[in-house]
Every structure is written in C-alpha cells, then in structure tokens.
DNA sequence: TGTACATCAGTGAACGCGCGTTCACTGATGTAC
DNA sequence: TGTACATCAGTGAACGCGCGTTCACTGATGTAC
C-alpha cells in the first residue's frame, strides 16, 4: 500500500519511519519463523535473524515474546480467505460459483501453506489461552459470508438447506478441515473436493455418478 | 490379610510388568501434558511430574523426547472417532443416522477436548516434519468409512453424491473443521450442526422446495 | 547556516534459568548353586 | 530352602546449552540557538 511518494523519500527517512519499517520487517519475519517452528519452538534470535536484525530490535518494538505473538495474531487471523466471495462472479450459475470458490480456496492453500500453518498455530494458541482477548473478527466474517449466500440464493430463487449463519459456519469448517488434511497428506485430497462439496451442499449437485444422462447447461 | 486372590497379585510384580506399567503411566501423563502445553512448550519434567516419576524414568523407557512424541503419536492418532459408525443403528432412516452420528461426534468433542488438542498438536507436528513416518492409518480408516457409507447407500437404495472415498474425506474434514472451530469458540457452533450437515450431504435433507419428492428405487 | 547537545532505535554482550540429556548410584528383582 | 552375586528400572544430581530478558553503549536523527 504505498501511496504517493512523499517529499520525505528524497530525504533520509525520519526516525519514526525507520522504526515503523523495522517493526514491519520483524512482523514479517515472525510470521515466517513461527509458521515454520511454532511459537514455542521458534526463538527471538530466529525472528531477528530472519529480519536481518538483532534481538534488541525485537525488544525495542515489542514488550516481549508474548506481545509479539499477540500483535501478529491481531494482524493475521482470518485475513486469508476473506477475499474469496468477492472474486467469484455472482452471475455464473450456482454450481460454477461453487466450483470457482472451491478452486480459489484450494489454490490459496497450495500457495500459502505457510499462512495456514501460522493460522493453525494461532488457533491452538487461542484454544490454550482462552483468557486471551480473542481478536477474531470471526462473527463479522461469518455474517458477511452468510449475507452473501442468502442474497445469491434469493436472487437465483433457491432455498438454502440450513439457516445462512449455520451454513456459513459449516462451510468455514469444511474449508478448515480440508486445509488441515491437505497440510498433512497433500496427496489424499483431490483439488476439486471443496468445490464439489459446495455444489452438493447448495443443492445443485450437477451430475451424480451412476446417473447417466444428466445434462450440463 | 486379604483372602484368595490370583497368585500373581500375591506375588510382587515382575520387573517386566512394572516397567510396562511405568511406560504406560508416562504415556498417559505425556498425553495430558502435551495437550495442555504443546510438544515444544511442555518439558520432560512436566511429563515425569504428571506421572509421579522422575525424568530418569522417561529416559529409561524412551530414547529421547522425540521418541516419546513418536510413540505417543502412533498410539493416539485417529483413535478418537473410529468407533462412531459402529454405534449408529443402521436400521434407522438415513436422516436419523446422520443426526445420531453428529450427536456422538459432538459429545465426544465436548468430553474430550484434550484429546482433540493433542491430535491437532500431532497434525501440526506431522505437517512440519514430513520426513517423519506418517503413522496415520488414515487411508485404512477412510476406506472403512467409505465402505460403510457405500454399503448403507446400496441397501437403502440411494446414491451417494460423490464417490465414496471422496465423500469420506469430506466428512472427516467437516468434522475436523467443526472440532477446530469449537475448540476456539465453543459458543459459535450449534450442537446439531454436524448432524444437520450430514443430512444435507447425504441428500435426504428433508424437503427441498422446488425439488419434487425423491423416490427410492 | 553551522555548532553543541539531547534523544532514542538498534547493537552486542551478559545474565540466569529451564531444558534435554548424561551418569553414577541404589535397591528391588532375578538367577545360580 | 537359603545364600551370594548379577541385573537393571528408576533416582537424583550434574552438565552445558539455548533461550528470554536486561543493559550499557553507539551513532544517526532531532532540536535549540
């Protein structure tokens, strides 16, 4: 998100700018390192090294390791998959929307295995530290998806098989479960499984095996 | 003086027996402690304390911490949910089978939160250590479920919406995702969500408006 | 504009603690006679 | 049956290392005049 080039950019960067930059580098490095080794398994030296800095830089920008984890958590959780509904053309027929959404999700999993590892680490952390303020915008995200699903169902004149919010929860859960399985056994999960399941769930399950003669439109 | 007992129990236990018992106590303790703190976060002192023993007992029974993790992994992975299909009465109508299986799964989640935390820790471990021999009997379990689903579909005369193996993968994934969400936000996942989704997926989702009554052959 | 001083982000070394691992030992169990 | 020795599971102390955290310092940036 670099906007207009400020006059500053010809000058030496200000202290504030440099500090913000350092902080960002540390957070990026932490995301990489924590995904790879876990919160407990990764050291602050690992993080600093990955960022090309020293541990002192970490302590100059964060109170301690836990604080770093919390800030990172606020920054990352759930960001991954929020963009998908907006990228699916709502004018396509429903089964193709399902297939397309499934495809996008699977592509994301493949490209950003690391993000998902980090997210799992976050979820475990939250599950083990329930006192921790839960920064999930989970309910807002779920409502957003639920609204989209309801709206498209209304427009296209079909009925959702479950209340929209519950369906949204289930779809998230299915995605998370598929992601998890893929993380451990990539070969066991076909690429189009998520899309096909979406089609089944939304009740427009195209052709079924053993049922010849079903026509695509 | 207690009366007659089996000869063994009057005798002092053999060395071998005592060792096996110690090993079992350590493994139980490790399951508890690793679920609570994670592999990296929990120390062997924690494990030994939980078992009422000392670290030396751990090293007398396992080569090192990694070995303990591996043995525990072999022992626990996937054991949780395998029993469910056998507990569902196959003579019930399909939607009730779905509801019943969902109910059993949810009850298990609630009662054995710790087991699922441990399983997640395992999965993360496997995802991060792909060299590790993957001890999952995952494929066997999947095939077993797939066979059961196929068989019941055949008997009751309906068609599975996806090839049985893929459907089994998806059902596992849905369960895992629901479990994950529940772990973090127990209140956000209705108790009967899994059962209702199973009913939807298996195509007997009560009445769907706009779809004429499906007849069994 | 230049000069002198103040600030403070990041450095690098140090500290102390907890951890995984090792090891000499002990005392109960097993074995030979 | 009893006696003498061997074995070995588990103990408890020790070791060394890596970690989170602290701190005196440095040198670039900021400020006052």
């Amino acid at each position: 998100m670099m906007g207009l080039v400020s006059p500053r950019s010809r000058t030496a960067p200000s202290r504030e700018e440099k500090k913000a930059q350092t902080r960002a580098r540390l957070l990026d490095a932490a995301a990489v390192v924590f995904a790879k080794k876990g919160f407990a398994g990764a050291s602050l030296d690992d993080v600093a090294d990955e960022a090309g800095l020293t541990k002192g830089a970490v302590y100059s920008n964060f109170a301690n390791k836990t604080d770093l984890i919390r800030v990172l958590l606020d920054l990352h959780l759930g960001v991954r998959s929020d963009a998908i509904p907006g990228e699916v053309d709502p004018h396509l027929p429903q089964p193709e929307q399902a297939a397309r959404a499934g495809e996008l999700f699977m592509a994301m999993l493949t490209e950003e295995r690391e993000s998902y590892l980090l997210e799992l680490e976050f979820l475990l952390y939250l599950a083990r530290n329930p006192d921790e303020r839960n920064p999930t915008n989970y309910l807002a995200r779920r409502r957003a998806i639920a609204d989209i699903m309801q709206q498209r169902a209304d427009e296209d004149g079909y009925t959702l098989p479950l209340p929209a919010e519950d369906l949204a929860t289930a779809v998230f859960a299915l995605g998370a479960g598929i992601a998890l399985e893929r993380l451990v056994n990539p070969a066991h999960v076909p690429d189009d499984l998520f899309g096909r399941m979406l089609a089944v769930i939304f009740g427009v399950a195209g052709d079924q095996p053993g049922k010849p003669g079903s026509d695509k439109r």
Side-chain angles (χ1 to χ4, degrees), chain A:
Chain A
M1 344 181 3
M2 20 197 59
L4 303 176
V5 177
S6 73
R8 270 250 106 95
S9 63
R10 296 206 70 202
T11 321
S14 78
R15 254 217 271 258
E16 207 179 341
E17 283 169 333
K18 275 175 88 171
K19 176 150 195 184
Q21 203 179 333
T22 300
R23 191 182 160 92
R25 274 168 67 197
L26 286 169
L27 284 168
D28 286 350
V32 171
V33 167
F34 285 149
K36 205 174 298 170
K37 304 190 177 183
F39 293 144
S43 73
L44 294 184
D45 270 323
D46 292 335
V47 173
D49 284 356
E50 175 77 25
L53 294 163
T54 62
K55 266 189 296 189
V58 175
Y59 278 89
S60 175
N61 280 277
F62 304 94
N64 49 39
K65 190 178 185 180
T66 305
D67 182 40
L68 171 60
I69 291 173
R70 272 197 282 250
V71 172
L72 196 67
L73 201 151
D74 275 339
L75 215 57
H76 278 246
L77 202 66
V79 172
R80 268 182 332 116
S81 54
D82 285 352
I84 287 185
E87 289 183 34
V88 175
D89 182 353
H91 302 108
L92 292 174
Q94 166 59 47
E96 288 179 33
Q97 284 191 37
R100 178 82 185 117
E103 204 178 292
L104 285 171
F105 183 71
M106 286 311 219
M108 209 180 55
L109 279 192
T110 308
E111 286 159 25
E112 298 186 53
R113 180 186 156 89
E114 184 182 276
S115 296
Y116 190 66
L117 274 172
L118 183 63
E119 180 144 346
L120 261 190
E121 188 74 25
F122 281 147
L123 293 177
L124 257 172
Y125 180 82
L126 287 176
R128 288 190 179 125
N129 303 276
D131 307 334
E132 212 64 66
R133 178 176 69 87
N134 185 338
T136 318
N137 35 5
Y138 176 76
L139 287 179
R141 295 193 299 129
R142 188 174 71 173
R143 168 150 301 280
I145 300 274
D147 287 348
I148 289 175
M149 292 191 315
Q150 186 66 63
Q151 188 187 329
R152 294 196 183 173
D154 290 348
E155 283 170 7
D156 290 7
Y158 59 87
T159 307
L160 296 177
L162 254 61
E165 292 258 330
D166 289 342
L167 200 55
T169 304
V171 168
F172 279 5
L174 179 61
I178 286 179
L180 186 56
E181 187 55 46
R182 264 217 152 199
L183 219 48
V184 181
N185 289 317
H188 295 165
V189 185
D191 275 343
D192 61 350
L193 181 61
F194 191 51
R196 280 189 288 153
M197 283 302 294
L198 289 179
V200 169
I201 291 168
F202 286 91
V204 201
D207 36 39
Q208 294 183 358
K211 291 211 162 179
S214 61
D215 45 358
K216 310 201 168 183
R217 17 179 156 183

